[in-house]
Amino acid sequence: MSVLDESDGWTVGELSRETGLTVRALHHYDEIGLLRPRGRTHAGYRLYSIEEVERLHVIVALRDLGLPLEQIRHALTRGPEQVAESLRGQLPEVERQLLSVALRKERLLEVLYALEAGTDNAFDVLRAAPCRNDDANPKPNENELVGKTLKIGAVYSLTGYGNVYGNPSRNGVLMAQDDINRSGGVLGAMVSVWVEDDSSDKTIAARRTQSLIEDHNAIALMGPGISHLAAAAHPVANTLRTPMIASSNPGSHIVGPGCPYPCDFIFRTSMGENEILSAGMGAYCDSVGPQTGVLMCTSDDKNSADGGQYVGGNAGNHGIRLSNSIEFSKTEEDVSDYVLGAVQSDPEVIFITSVGDVPARLMKAAREMGFEGLFFGGGSFNPGAVTKSAGLAGRGALSVNTWHVDNGASGNGEFVRSYRHRFHRDPDQFAVQGYVGMLMIADAAGRARLSFTDVAADRLRLHRALETTDIGTPMGRMRFTPQHDIAMETYLVEMDGRAGHNLVRATSAY
């Protein structure tokens, strides 16, 4: 540690007087690695620079908001996003305290009004008022679970190539958490969601899933947002008998027959890519007629490979002749040679099955090379980040979406307005699927007669309740099939050249 002159910073005593913390507390912060001094004076006293002083003010503010010291240290180490997640975790406790105070006020007024009225039975009202020594922790009865917390985990790609799906999904999940709690929670129990970043890596996705179940006691989980990550995480949840909702996983065999691993506890709120492509190609060919096409597919992830396999095997059934099929890796930065090969085939339509921002890069490169035909794809065309990145190059690109901003479903308008107000942008399919998945968990939890004492048993109860879900959502009426897939309406949409989609027409219900 550096030896510094006292004029170079604040001594521990000066810092104590500045913040109101004791010297002993500052020594403890140093010992646990929360706030280390920049150096020491020649006499051996701790000396803090302006950076440590600023950090201390943040620590004090977070402590005042209720975060424990270890959680503050962990959050500050991982950056602003982790600080936000930690603070969000405090909301259910604050909501519980507010509800407790509201109930106490209600009882106080009831007794006060009776006493002020001077009725003969005024003291009977007082004696009848609930006598509790633990008003901060009201006990549930058969109709309310006040004081309880419904712990839900979420695993999404907040960083890496999958962030275009993971971030809006997280937004939808957290917005649903807050909306549910604002409306009184689940029979009074507050919902608390802990979101983990899988970094677009399947090993991390599996590890985060296990941690949310075993370390955080999540009763249910959302995610991951990419099918090949889900294929790593879902077996973990299923082995630990914890319901997990795949909110944006269109890959084949995520649920139901053909799933390569037991998936009894896995549900899905997005249509499979095969169904999406089938509905879209059918609607496209009905409108445009038979075409010549080229398929461009990143074959090193499950969703893209599944989509490419479907297009390659079924284009002919829709009257489309594929003149070329081009495969490459999603990690390749320079896609110009692949795009040139596609454009030189002179297709009327380029089919793209890929993930992340690859579709946008392909569209822009093709337009720069003079391609004037259509682009067609599946769910990878639907993130707002992809449409925004594609810009004018993507205008008119067709895909099938399971949701649209103007779909007319009950509650959709309010959802869209709330999302715009909170995040200053339009929601996309992935945001609404995360939101809806949370609504389905909350609905099932309200019917599951949870004990809040036996987590393993409660997971089984929630699993059974999810199987009978049938609720209205911003995506329309939602229910799970016997195979835990989703039944819903779909919409043929086209990119508008900015950051959204225009509705072409609704397609038949799946």
Side-chain angles (χ1 to χ4, degrees):
M1 184 175 291
S2 303
V3 176
L4 304 173
D5 188 88
E6 286 193 20
S7 62
D8 292 333
W10 283 261
T11 66
V12 70
E14 291 171 334
L15 203 54
S16 173
R17 290 189 293 273
E18 169 79 13
T19 61
L21 293 170
T22 65
V23 171
R24 183 176 180 180
L26 292 169
H27 287 174
H28 179 62
Y29 289 3
D30 184 5
E31 291 166 2
I32 65 174
L34 180 60
L35 183 77
R36 295 196 184 281
R38 178 60 53 91
R40 289 183 181 265
T41 67
H42 292 282
Y45 296 113
R46 293 172 173 84
L47 204 63
Y48 298 84
S49 71
I50 184 63
E51 288 81 6
E52 283 82 52
V53 174
E54 291 174 348
R55 179 181 172 94
L56 181 58
H57 282 295
V58 173
I59 292 169
V60 171
L62 293 176
R63 191 191 63 172
D64 289 344
L65 290 172
L67 292 187
L69 294 180
E70 179 57 30
Q71 195 170 344
I72 293 174
R73 187 185 66 79
H74 176 69
L76 291 179
T77 299
R78 295 186 61 182
E81 286 191 356
Q82 185 60 48
V83 173
E85 292 296 337
S86 298
L87 290 176
R88 193 175 299 282
Q90 289 295 103
L91 288 175
E93 172 63 18
V94 174
E95 295 280 1
R96 183 186 66 76
Q97 292 174 6
L98 288 173
L99 187 57
S100 174
V101 171
L103 290 172
R104 188 184 305 177
K105 178 183 177 182
E106 202 174 292
R107 293 198 301 273
L108 185 154
L109 290 173
E110 181 184 359
V111 173
L112 183 61
Y113 293 155
L115 292 172
E116 289 177 343
T119 57
D120 293 338
N121 63 345
F123 282 96
D124 290 337
V125 174
L126 186 60
R127 282 189 290 269
C131 181
R132 289 177 176 157
N133 294 321
D134 58 346
D135 282 337
N137 295 284
K139 300 295 188 294
N141 59 35
E142 64 180 4
N143 294 316
E144 64 176 32
L145 297 169
V146 176
K148 300 299 182 182
T149 300
L150 192 68
K151 296 181 180 179
I152 299 171
V155 181
Y156 285 118
S157 301
L158 307 182
T159 57
Y161 69 88
N163 73 88
V164 296
Y165 317 117
N167 284 295
S169 297
R170 175 196 58 184
N171 291 349
V173 164
L174 295 179
M175 184 169 149
Q177 169 197 256
D178 295 346
D179 286 354
I180 292 166
N181 287 340
R182 248 192 311 273
S183 65
V186 178
L187 302 181
M190 293 293 102
V191 175
S192 177
V193 183
W194 187 273
V195 183
E196 289 282 5
D197 179 15
D198 60 34
S199 304
S200 303
D201 182 280
K202 63 181 182 180
T203 302
I204 295 175
R207 192 162 62 239
R208 295 284 186 265
T209 299
Q210 183 173 352
S211 175
L212 285 168
I213 296 171
E214 295 184 339
D215 300 334
H216 295 280
N217 289 323
I219 191 174
L221 298 100
M222 298 286 299
I226 300 176
S227 295
H228 85 279
L229 303 185
H234 288 172
V236 175
N238 208 82
T239 298
L240 297 174
R241 300 173 71 78
T242 303
M244 193 167 193
I245 293 185
S247 61
S248 58
N249 304 103
S252 301
H253 311 313
I254 291 295
V255 294
C259 187
Y261 46 81
C263 56
D264 320 54
F265 282 76
I266 310 303
F267 298 80
R268 176 160 68 178
T269 58
S270 60
M271 284 181 64
E273 187 76 352
N274 287 359
E275 288 75 21
I276 290 173
L277 290 169
S278 176
M281 290 172 72
Y284 163 70
C285 291
D286 289 346
S287 302
V288 180
Q291 302 280 299
T292 59
V294 168
L295 168 64
M296 301 194 72
C297 170
T298 52
S299 57
D300 52 349
D301 68 88
K302 176 175 173 53
N303 183 52
S304 302
D306 287 346
Q309 185 175 12
Y310 180 84
V311 172
N314 291 276
N317 298 334
H318 294 282
I320 300 168
R321 181 177 63 83
L322 286 182
S323 58
N324 200 355
S325 181
I326 301 171
E327 295 184 359
F328 56 101
S329 171
K330 63 179 179 291
T331 62
E332 296 191 50
E333 293 294 330
D334 186 359
V335 296
S336 56
D337 286 345
Y338 303 110
V339 176
L340 182 61
V343 172
Q344 287 179 338
S345 298
D346 194 27
E348 293 167 287
V349 58
I350 294 180
F351 292 95
I352 299 174
T353 63
S354 187
V355 294
D357 68 340
V358 176
R361 291 196 284 128
L362 296 177
M363 291 179 200
K364 287 190 284 191
R367 294 299 187 214
E368 289 172 0
M369 294 178 188
F371 178 67
E372 297 180 352
L374 289 171
F375 297 110
F376 185 94
S380 62
F381 278 26
N382 296 330
V386 172
T387 58
K388 182 178 181 180
S389 178
L392 291 175
R395 186 164 58 188
L398 291 169
S399 62
V400 165
N401 205 323
T402 52
W403 172 82
H404 189 265
V405 68
D406 297 318
N407 66 12
S410 176
N412 187 51
E414 182 179 352
F415 164 77
V416 172
R417 286 190 295 273
S418 296
Y419 192 95
R420 285 171 176 165
H421 176 74
R422 179 164 178 171
F423 299 108
H424 309 292
R425 69 191 72 177
D426 275 349
D428 62 14
Q429 168 187 334
F430 305 94
V432 74
Q433 285 173 171
Y435 185 88
V436 165
M438 286 289 293
L439 296 186
M440 298 177 93
I441 289 176
D443 169 78
R447 296 181 286 106
R449 302 186 67 83
L450 303 176
S451 68
F452 288 89
T453 56
D454 187 336
V455 177
D458 281 348
R459 289 168 180 158
L460 295 178
R461 295 184 183 103
L462 183 63
H463 169 262
R464 288 193 293 269
L466 278 168
E467 293 183 317
T468 58
T469 300
D470 187 354
I471 62 172
T473 77
M475 297 178 73
R477 200 77 195 170
M478 302 283 283
R479 63 178 176 81
F480 290 115
T481 69
Q483 292 76 37
H484 295 181
D485 222 326
I486 202 69
M488 58 173 42
E489 197 78 12
T490 58
Y491 306 91
L492 183 67
V493 297
E494 62 179 8
M495 290 188 186
D496 62 10
R498 297 184 299 276
H501 294 88
N502 295 321
L503 177 62
V504 178
R505 70 178 187 183
T507 66
S508 59
Y510 166 52

